[in-house]
């Protein structure tokens, strides 16, 4: 959450007082800060009683975490050659290494939204996305500098600092110079992003003065110490702790900021060319040459109905690289199919209206999907249409104990909650009937078509049965929707097994939301991310069913469940499928 402007003004005014009253603190030479102390923001691990996050010295603070290192001196260096290289134009609008126009032509333009809004100038050398999937080396670091800096090299002048840190250049994932204008305060905060707890943050003051206040340390503003950030001091700071900086002088302040990893290995290192365009969101970075390369949609969640499809979709979309469509359930491949469109291109063009397709082309790290549970049932229609429009798509199937699913389906259809339009889509055929009435009606119907007769399911009749199914309504196939192995056959025959992920709603309870969703992230090529809101989505509370009804349904589904568990290699207990 952004700090309000009035709070930033208050912190800046308070900084002038602290410059007079707070003595400088020289960080001890204690070596690299172990990453185990950066697993989460310290304010989360050691919260303030009030939850306040301002620098109000009158607020009662929590006890400072005494066992968490926040600052460490790594070396003291002669930075005269660095200062000579970056001094020109750091405090003006002259054409120089600091100039955005010069960088756009000879380097690569990268936005840093908050810093850019504060007017902080920058020279970018190395950068990465928030998940450390890709590291980008920029021309100013990787190539000889252009005129009028011919013969000079950032890589050469920075080598002594990198050597003093005892790291290989390949371990650096972010490196830049930042020039903080006079009169600007970066308010109290801790850094965010998945890269933070995997990397060490190094600061090296290059141009500074006594009227710059650099604060760092602890879980609360009252814990922060005034760092003696003198020119040439190479120090590590725990950027999961609270920190802030105020430039109360009339001059720009310049720091080298460097992040390096211990063992994490990015998936790729991308050298950028002068003037190359990159595509950014707050959490992703892509090169323009990858424009439009991510397939749309990346995945389909095809069912089963009332088996956690909404929850899985919401969890995927909660990932910073997950993007919701304009509609969650498009129904494009069943009852919104455009039969008048005859070419794959025209069908695909229509389908793209359900997504933010143009925006997604500019951010190929991001993915989107279609979550329409009825696709699982209507495989006869859906599969050939998917193969025509988006054959690359990955398939996610959510299943649930078919007995519980049936009751949930019935309760949803007969619920009076929702708009009239929602009620019509659900269907009204079961309203006024008991759960048992609906079961008996469907059993009679299934016996007539021969799909379920004499206590056995006849797969050869499934295709004929599907031809009788209505479109645009959900009040049908209460039992058949729970025959998962029968429904899955066509999907398993038409898509590679590695392109199908099958999960049970019960897995979310048994394994936990995070572990279950992490499997989906990995399946879709998304980096690991902690699910923030693990609440169930689109769920209802309702009364249970009669024990006799449950036993009858279990008998109806028993053989199907056994085939499913055996076919997927799921563990059974004494030959019985246990959901």
């Amino acid at each position: 959450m952004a700090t309000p402007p009035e709070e930033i003004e208050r912190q800046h005014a308070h900084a002038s007082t602290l410059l007079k009253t707070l003595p400088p603190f020289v960080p001890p030479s204690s070596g690299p800060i172990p990453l185990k102390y950066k697993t989460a923001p310290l304010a989360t691990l050691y919260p303030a009683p009030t939850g306040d996050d301002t620098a109000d010295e009158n607020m009662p603070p929590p006890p400072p975490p005494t066992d968490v290192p926040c600052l460490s001196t790594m070396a003291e260096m002669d930075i005269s050659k660095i200062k000579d290289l970056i001094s020109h134009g750091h405090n003006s609008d002259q054409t120089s290494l600091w100039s955005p126009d010069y960088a756009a032509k000879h380097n690569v333009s990268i936005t840093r939204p908050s810093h850019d809004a504060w007017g902080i100038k920058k020279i970018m050398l190395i950068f990465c996305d928030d998940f450390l999937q890709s590291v980008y080396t920029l021309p100013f670091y990787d190539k000889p500098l252009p005129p009028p800096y011919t013969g000079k090299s950032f890589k050469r002048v920075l080598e002594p600092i990198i050597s003093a840190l005892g790291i290989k250049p390949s371990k650096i994932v972010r490196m830049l110079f930042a020039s903080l204008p006079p009169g600007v305060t970066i308010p109290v905060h801790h850094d965010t992003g998945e890269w933070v707890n995997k990397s060490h943050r190094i600061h090296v003051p290059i141009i500074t003065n006594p009227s710059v206040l650099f604060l760092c340390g602890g879980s609360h503003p009252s814990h922060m110490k005034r760092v003696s950030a003198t020119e040439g001091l190479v120090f590590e700071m725990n950027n999961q702790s609270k920190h802030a900086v105020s430039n109360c002088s009339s001059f720009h302040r310049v720091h080298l900021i460097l992040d390096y990893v211990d063992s994490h290995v990015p998936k790729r290192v991308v050298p950028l060319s002068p003037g190359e365009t990159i595509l950014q969101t707050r959490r992703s970075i892509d090169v323009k040459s990858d424009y439009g390369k991510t397939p749309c949609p990346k995945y389909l969640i095809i069912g089963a109905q009332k088996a956690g499809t909404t929850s899985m979709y919401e969890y995927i979309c909660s990932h910073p690289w997950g993007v919701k469509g304009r509609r969650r359930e498009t129904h494009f491949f069943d009852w919104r199919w455009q039969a008048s469109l005859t070419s794959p291109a025209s069908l695909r063009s229509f389908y793209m209206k359900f997504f933010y397709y143009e925006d997604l082309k500019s951010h190929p790290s991001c993915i989107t999907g279609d979550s329409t549970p009825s696709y699982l049932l209507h495989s006869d229609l859906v599969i050939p249409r998917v193969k025509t429009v988006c054959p690359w798509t990955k398939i996610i199937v959510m299943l649930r104990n078919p007995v519980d699913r049936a009751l949930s389906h019935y309760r949803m259809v007969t619920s009076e909650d929702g708009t009239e339009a929602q009620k019509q889509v659900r269907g009204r055929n079961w309203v006024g009937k008991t759960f048992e009435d609906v079961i008996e009606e469907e059993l009679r119907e299934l016996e007539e078509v021969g799909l379920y007769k004499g206590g056995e399911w006849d797969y050869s009749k499934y295709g004929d049965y599907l031809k009788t199914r209505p479109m645009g309504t959900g009040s049908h196939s209460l039992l058949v929707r729970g025959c998962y192995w029968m429904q899955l056959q066509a999907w398993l025959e038409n898509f590679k097994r590695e392109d199908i992920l099958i999960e049970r709603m019960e897995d979310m309870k048994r394994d936990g939301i995070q572990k279950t969703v992490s499997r989906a992230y990995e399946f879709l090529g998304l980096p690991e991310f902690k699910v923030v809101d693990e609440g169930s989505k689109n769920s209802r509370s309702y009364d249970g069913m009669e024990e006799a009804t449950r036993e009858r349904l279990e008998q109806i589904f028993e053989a199907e469940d056994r085939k499913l568990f055996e076919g997927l290699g799921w563990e059974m207990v004494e030959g019985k499928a246990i959901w």
Side-chain angles (χ1 to χ4, degrees), residues 10 26 41 50 52 67 158 172 189 208 232 234 245 266 292 297 356 362 416 475-476 499 536 566 569-570:
R10 192 195 71 78
V26 179
T50 64
D52 201 344
D67 59 339
L158 292 173
I172 300 172
H189 69 289
T208 190
V234 181
V245 60
Y356 297 98
S362 296
E416 292 301 322
S475 54
H476 66 87
D499 290 333
S536 59
E566 290 174 348
W570 289 351

Side-chain angles (χ1 to χ4, degrees), residues 410 414 428-438 441:
Y410 167 79
T414 57
R428 310 300 288 163
N429 296 347
W430 300 342
V431 175
K433 300 177 182 178
T434 67
F435 183 46
E436 287 74 17
D437 288 341
V438 175
E441 283 185 6

Side-chain angles (χ1 to χ4, degrees), residues 512-579:
I513 298 293
Q514 184 65 60
K515 188 173 182 179
T516 304
V517 176
S518 291
R519 290 194 291 265
Y521 289 160
E522 183 178 9
F523 174 68
L524 297 173
L526 293 173
E528 181 62 23
F529 177 72
K530 179 175 174 52
V531 177
V532 178
D533 178 10
E534 293 192 353
S536 59
K537 319 297 178 185
N538 195 30
S539 61
R540 291 176 170 84
S541 59
Y542 45 79
D543 296 333
M545 68 181 77
E546 297 290 338
E547 188 59 34
T549 303
R550 177 173 289 278
E551 289 177 359
R552 187 174 188 200
L553 288 176
E554 287 176 348
Q555 184 180 21
I556 290 171
F557 291 122
E558 182 179 8
E560 266 294 287
D561 285 354
R562 188 182 305 111
K563 289 179 182 178
L564 176 74
F565 275 60
E566 290 174 348
L568 297 179
W570 289 351
E571 183 179 358
M572 296 195 290
V573 178
E574 296 180 353
K576 187 175 182 180
I578 304 296
W579 285 90

Side-chain angles (χ1 to χ4, degrees), residues 229-282:
T230 55
E231 293 183 1
L233 181 72
V234 181
F235 65 94
E236 180 176 352
M237 58 170 285
N238 185 338
N239 48 347
Q240 291 278 40
S241 69
K242 294 297 182 183
H243 55 282
V245 60
S246 296
N247 187 351
C248 299
S249 76
S250 301
F251 308 97
H252 281 63
R253 181 224 70 169
V254 178
H255 274 208
L256 170 68
I257 303 172
L258 180 157
D259 298 283
Y260 73 90
V261 293
D262 286 340
S263 57
H264 180 87
V265 179
K267 286 189 175 179
R268 62 176 188 166
V269 176
V270 183
L272 300 176
S273 302
E276 188 167 356
T277 301
I278 63 168
L279 310 167
Q280 288 183 257
T281 67
R282 176 170 167 76

Side-chain angles (χ1 to χ4, degrees), residues 287-350:
V287 293
K288 191 174 182 179
S289 58
D290 286 338
Y291 177 87
K293 285 188 176 180
T294 295
C296 180
K298 180 69 176 281
Y299 62 92
L300 301 179
I301 301 178
I302 64 171
Q305 191 181 46
K306 308 308 298 175
T309 56
T310 300
S311 293
M312 179 58 81
Y313 178 80
E314 293 290 338
Y315 295 142
I316 292 172
C317 292
S318 72
H319 192 287
W321 292 2
V323 179
K324 290 185 176 182
R326 297 181 190 274
R327 299 183 72 102
R328 179 176 63 84
E329 296 187 19
T330 75
H331 283 282
F332 175 71
F333 295 111
D334 49 27
W335 53 269
R336 282 201 178 96
W337 182 251
Q338 302 297 302
S340 62
L341 301 177
T342 57
S343 71
S346 61
L347 287 163
R348 175 167 170 73
S349 178
F350 187 93

Side-chain angles (χ1 to χ4, degrees), residues 14 35 39 133 143 159 173 178 182 201 272 287 292 315 350 404 414 433 438 468 478 492 536 563 567:
H14 186 55
L35 295 181
T39 56
Q133 298 293 289
K143 294 177 172 58
E159 194 279 330
V173 294
R201 164 57 58 89
L272 300 176
V287 293
Y315 295 142
F350 187 93
D404 296 332
T414 57
K433 300 177 182 178
V438 175
T468 68
L478 180 83
L492 293 170
S536 59
K563 289 179 182 178

Side-chain angles (χ1 to χ4, degrees), residues 54 79 218 344:
T54 69
I79 45 88

